[in-house]
Amino acid sequence: MKALMIINPKAGKAKRGRSADYLRREFLLHDYDCDVIVTKKPREAESIAREMAGAYQLIICLGGDGTLNETVNGLSSLKNRPPIAYLPTGTTNDFADSLGLSTDISKAMRDTFHGTKKKLDIGRMNNRAFVYVASFGAFSDSSFKTPQVLKNRFGRLAYIFESLRELPSIKSHRMRVYDQNGEICRGKYIFGAVSNSTTIGGMLHYNKNDISLSDGKHEVLLVKKPSSLGMLRRTARALITGTYKADGIELFHTSHVRFESEDETAWSLDGERCEPVKTIAIDNFQNAVEFIVPKRILTA
């Protein structure tokens, strides 16, 4: 099988991982004729996937969630999209966690060699695709504010450190939120996430039994600005425990959602910053991309 491996050498654990030659040899032993390209600048994985992926039967993405986002954006422009094998070497690896992929490269490769194909949903915000989450507000900035050296050294804790620093200056955004049938809710929100994942930012978690990654719907989580210390405590407890049943928290499932904000709001897609906007529309594209997943995930 002809495969293309895209490596981001700067992603989290990639610097401490296996060499490109080692990875190529391992895949060759399992009948994958593998070409390897190491990225040198942002968005390069996207252009590589868009321009070259059509000539291959498998795309291997080695990097973090941001690298995977670039790869999927490149593939999304193709009519015939080869499946993706994801070898996660980032800091939080939220999407990998949802798929049950190991962050140990040797184990991740074994899951690729012995895995199976599964079609999964992706999202599109305005004109850009995302793999697992579009978010705004508190904590969404942590990914690109946290220095890479701290990410590499402390992993998920680095995001928590940075998030705690944000708390005194949390800004709210007055918004109206709509689905395909009309207005769902409105208010002053300090955080929002439209996701197709069981975990967000390594800090927020959903019950895996309640989440499907291929049902054609996103989970939309919104957190209102607490109006009192008691509300703040109840909100924090709900977010920490993953129950999401508290005043000021909205959670619903939809294939389409639109946000209209009074001010320009900065969003991030899979942890990557986007330009601030007042209005955005997000759609779910069901079963748009095929991934190699461990067989145990399909039988769990």
Side-chain angles (χ1 to χ4, degrees):
M1 179 182 291
K2 190 70 173 175
L4 173 64
M5 181 182 295
I6 302 172
I7 298 177
N8 177 1
K10 295 183 178 180
K13 303 172 185 176
K15 291 181 179 179
R16 305 192 298 273
R18 305 290 190 173
S19 69
D21 287 340
Y22 167 84
L23 295 169
R24 184 189 291 110
R25 287 195 301 270
E26 286 297 305
F27 274 88
L28 187 59
L29 289 173
H30 289 81
D31 298 322
Y32 291 88
D33 182 8
C34 192
D35 292 331
V36 177
I37 298 180
V38 179
T39 62
K40 299 179 178 64
K41 57 185 178 181
R43 294 285 180 93
E44 190 175 7
E46 180 175 342
S47 60
I48 291 169
R50 181 175 57 251
E51 295 166 11
M52 301 179 62
Y56 294 87
Q57 297 167 288
L58 177 69
I59 304 301
I60 304 160
C61 175
L62 190 150
D65 292 332
T67 311
L68 182 62
N69 173 283
E70 292 184 19
T71 302
V72 168
N73 267 280
L75 291 179
S76 66
S77 63
L78 304 181
K79 183 177 181 180
N80 297 314
R81 302 163 189 159
I84 298 174
Y86 182 32
L87 306 182
T89 61
T91 304
T92 58
N93 301 306
D94 282 323
F95 192 67
D97 183 72
S98 296
L99 294 183
L101 299 176
S102 175
T103 55
D104 179 283
I105 294 300
S106 296
K107 292 180 181 179
M109 285 194 294
R110 287 199 295 272
D111 284 337
T112 297
F113 302 145
H114 305 294
T116 189
K117 298 176 184 177
K118 181 174 177 59
K119 291 183 177 180
L120 302 176
D121 302 344
I122 63 170
R124 183 172 290 277
M125 187 180 90
N126 292 349
N127 293 317
R128 187 160 181 81
F130 64 94
V131 181
Y132 81 98
V133 67
S135 63
F136 71 87
F139 314 135
S140 352
D141 279 354
S142 299
S143 174
F144 40 78
K145 282 183 178 177
T146 306
Q148 187 66 47
V149 65
L150 291 182
K151 294 180 186 180
N152 294 345
R153 183 173 181 183
F154 296 109
R156 292 172 187 260
L157 284 175
Y159 291 105
I160 296 174
F161 294 156
E162 192 62 43
S163 298
L164 292 175
R165 292 176 56 189
E166 288 183 19
L167 290 178
S169 58
I170 289 178
K171 178 182 178 181
S172 63
H173 301 271
R174 190 182 295 276
M175 292 181 166
R176 292 188 177 189
V177 185
Y178 305 82
D179 70 0
Q180 58 268 32
N181 299 314
E183 184 175 308
I184 293 234
C185 55
R186 67 174 72 181
K188 295 174 69 176
Y189 299 103
I190 62 171
F191 175 76
V194 182
S195 64
N196 191 46
S197 177
T198 60
T199 180
I200 301 172
M203 294 179 287
L204 303 180
H205 300 269
Y206 293 114
N207 186 323
K208 291 190 176 184
N209 295 325
D210 297 335
I211 301 295
S212 169
L213 304 185
S214 55
D215 63 354
K217 293 184 178 182
H218 282 121
E219 283 63 54
V220 181
L221 176 67
L222 297 167
V223 181
K224 285 187 176 180
K225 183 177 181 178
S227 57
S228 66
L229 182 59
M231 184 178 177
L232 175 61
R233 288 172 176 167
R234 290 190 295 273
T235 299
R237 186 180 304 114
L239 295 175
I240 291 170
T241 59
T243 57
Y244 307 120
K245 295 179 180 178
D247 294 339
I249 293 181
E250 306 274 0
L251 177 62
F252 59 94
H253 314 269
T254 184
S255 59
H256 170 82
V257 63
R258 187 174 82 256
F259 295 82
E260 294 182 357
S261 177
E262 290 186 356
D263 62 339
E264 291 192 333
T265 303
W267 286 73
S268 69
L269 297 184
D270 297 334
E272 302 299 315
R273 184 193 292 268
C274 299
E275 290 298 319
V277 292
K278 285 188 176 182
T279 301
I280 64 108
I282 296 176
D283 291 287
N284 181 291
F285 287 82
Q286 188 172 18
N287 297 333
V289 177
E290 199 167 41
F291 283 83
I292 306 297
V293 301
K295 289 184 177 179
R296 63 180 179 275
I297 299 303
L298 298 183
T299 57

